[in-house]
Amino acid sequence: MNLLLTPFLWFKKEFIPFRTLDRYLFLDFFKTFIGTLIMLTSMIVIYKFTDVMKYLVSSKVNQAHVYLHVLYSLPSMVDQVVAPALMFSVCFVIGQFSVNKELVAMMVAGVSFIRIITPILFFGISMWLIMTLFGQTVVIPANKQAQIEYSIMAKGSNRLIDFVYQLHIKGKKGFYYVYWIDEKEKTVKGGFNYIEITPDGHPTYTVSSQKAKFIPSPHSWILYDAEEVRFNENLELVSRIKYPEKTYDFPEDLAYFSKPIRNPEEMNFFELADEIESRITKGIPFRNVIIQQHMAFAMPLMSFVVVALGALAGAITKRSAGVASLGLTIAVVLLYYILNSTAKTLAENGALPIWIGMWMTPVIFTSAAYYLYRRMNI
């Protein structure tokens, strides 16, 4: 029991209350981080607004949708720049302390380098947890709303979006083939075909029609100019009947066809689990959904990785801290994203197991930071 409490007792002894040294270093770092975060986010907002400005002119819908799209995209922008902002801030502040010999003075006074940066390392771990929660509860819902606003803008500019054309998909009891969907009229046009399959894999009947309309309440489908063909257990033709109009109780609704593949990046961890089950039912590949489950926790870990590497890089800075910090931030973040993207692609294509592909990059960078700390003995 005492062994388990040792880290907490040490933390209480060292950091409660915050010492002058800790306040001095951490507050300097925190102010730099907030300023950098605001600056980087503002740059992306300006770029985003420039990118969608064409809809202010061409879209026939209310221009408020353009501003709402940018607003709902803001949490995602913040999520993207947290890691670079952390890297630059810790590298810049520690670099300034190193260039000004303040870091040397602290270490001469008997304070180890690890102890000096411990508050910042704790902040990096906290940001990992915070950004994981932020991504699940804020970024993902906001992304959904941003996509809705974008769809409205695009459709107002006479662009085809969310368009389903010639879809073959598995349902709960059979297989569908639909031509294209008119969501406004809740109608499948150009062709609607269905074949019901028994649990042992035998067809019971097929139905084809030129048009099918979905009725939400009560849940049903009205098929027009339909032809129904039924079979017995020996797959022999039992009947072939044509109907000008007939109602069926297919278990799937219109949304099942209009959005057969949801974007995993717009789903939280629990929705991803439901999506996997849905794709299994539909017969749609779901490997990328499992990858997104891992990314929900693996990607925010970058917040701690860049803090650990940034502190080390700042400690060995001998020149201008600002220039060195900017260069190191670009190099580390770019390399991290390249390796992570490559590993993700390999995992999606089955060249790597999913858990290796998604956790390989943070493990490599964390191991590199640990090795450098041990090697430099600071």
Side-chain angles (χ1 to χ4, degrees):
M1 186 67 178
N2 291 333
L3 184 62
L4 294 174
L5 293 176
T6 298
F8 299 99
L9 295 174
W10 175 83
F11 184 84
K12 180 180 179 180
K13 176 184 176 182
E14 291 288 332
F15 298 102
I16 300 177
F18 240 30
R19 298 183 180 183
T20 303
L21 172 63
D22 297 324
R23 288 198 299 269
Y24 177 52
L25 177 64
F26 181 78
L27 291 179
D28 200 7
F29 155 75
F30 187 73
K31 288 186 290 185
T32 305
F33 167 65
I34 295 298
T36 306
L37 185 66
I38 293 174
M39 181 189 67
L40 293 178
T41 304
S42 300
M43 293 172 62
I44 298 181
V45 168
I46 293 172
Y47 171 79
K48 183 71 172 180
F49 187 77
T50 303
D51 184 55
V52 300
M53 188 174 291
K54 56 182 177 287
Y55 293 109
L56 288 173
V57 179
S58 62
S59 184
K60 299 177 183 179
V61 299
N62 193 320
Q63 294 182 351
H65 292 292
V66 176
Y67 299 104
L68 287 173
H69 172 68
V70 175
L71 179 63
Y72 285 127
S73 300
L74 188 60
S76 179
M77 299 175 193
V78 173
D79 186 50
Q80 294 173 29
V81 300
V82 162
L86 282 169
M87 176 73 183
F88 175 82
S89 302
V90 68
C91 190
F92 176 77
V93 171
I94 299 298
Q96 284 284 79
F97 276 56
S98 177
V99 170
N100 297 335
K101 306 302 180 183
E102 293 177 277
L103 192 62
V104 175
M106 295 175 187
M107 296 175 71
V108 169
V111 184
S112 69
F113 178 72
I114 294 296
R115 173 59 184 81
I116 293 171
I117 67 169
T118 295
I120 297 178
L121 293 178
F122 270 112
F123 184 77
I125 295 175
S126 300
M127 286 302 297
W128 173 25
L129 303 176
I130 290 171
M131 294 312 299
T132 299
L133 184 62
F134 180 73
Q136 295 292 300
T137 60
V138 179
V139 175
I140 291 174
N143 282 347
K144 293 178 182 178
Q145 293 299 320
Q147 184 58 39
I148 292 173
E149 298 298 333
Y150 178 78
S151 298
I152 295 173
M153 293 187 313
K155 291 175 181 177
S157 299
N158 297 320
R159 290 182 56 191
L160 292 177
I161 191 168
D162 301 331
F163 186 69
V164 175
Y165 181 73
Q166 293 186 337
L167 173 68
H168 180 252
I169 193 169
K170 180 183 177 183
K172 292 181 179 180
K173 297 181 179 180
F175 292 87
Y176 297 88
Y177 179 81
V178 299
Y179 204 72
W180 69 278
I181 296 174
D182 186 334
E183 290 196 58
K184 291 183 178 179
E185 297 184 7
K186 300 184 183 301
T187 302
V188 176
K189 298 180 179 180
F192 183 97
N193 303 274
Y194 177 72
I195 177 170
E196 185 176 87
I197 305 294
T198 62
D200 56 359
H202 293 94
T204 56
Y205 76 94
T206 66
V207 60
S208 60
S209 67
Q210 291 299 309
K211 185 173 72 170
K213 185 177 180 62
F214 175 64
I215 308 299
S217 182
H219 181 106
S220 59
W221 287 86
I222 301 177
L223 274 59
Y224 302 90
D225 296 326
E227 182 180 60
E228 181 182 294
V229 179
R230 293 191 173 271
F231 306 92
N232 60 21
E233 295 180 354
N234 298 320
L235 299 183
E236 297 173 341
L237 180 66
V238 174
S239 65
R240 182 193 298 269
I241 306 175
K242 291 187 177 181
Y243 301 96
E245 178 180 317
K246 186 176 180 180
T247 301
Y248 291 84
D249 60 346
F250 302 132
E252 287 70 32
D253 57 15
L254 189 70
Y256 192 82
F257 308 107
S258 61
K259 296 180 180 178
I261 302 180
R262 299 166 64 193
N263 185 358
E265 296 181 0
E266 296 178 3
M267 291 180 277
N268 61 37
F269 190 80
F270 301 103
E271 291 172 329
L272 289 170
D274 294 337
E275 180 68 9
I276 291 174
E277 294 184 7
S278 175
R279 292 195 182 194
I280 291 174
T281 301
K282 296 178 182 180
I284 299 174
F286 55 88
R287 190 177 181 88
N288 63 326
V289 185
I290 300 177
I291 288 174
Q292 188 62 32
Q293 283 184 316
H294 285 267
M295 282 191 66
F297 298 96
M299 200 61 192
L301 182 56
M302 186 181 179
S303 297
F304 171 72
V305 172
V306 296
V307 165
L309 288 173
L312 181 62
I316 61 177
T317 297
K318 302 300 181 183
R319 300 180 181 179
S320 172
V323 175
S325 301
L326 181 60
L328 288 168
T329 298
I330 294 174
V332 171
V333 172
L334 185 61
L335 180 60
Y336 193 99
Y337 278 123
I338 290 174
L339 289 179
N340 189 71
S341 178
T342 302
K344 179 183 176 183
T345 300
L346 292 173
E348 287 177 339
N349 294 329
L352 284 176
I354 291 176
W355 66 272
I356 292 180
M358 298 318 303
W359 291 96
M360 181 176 70
T361 303
V363 168
I364 289 175
F365 273 75
T366 304
S367 301
Y370 177 77
Y371 171 79
L372 291 172
Y373 274 109
R374 298 283 295 183
R375 182 68 179 265
M376 297 184 66
N377 193 28
I378 55 175

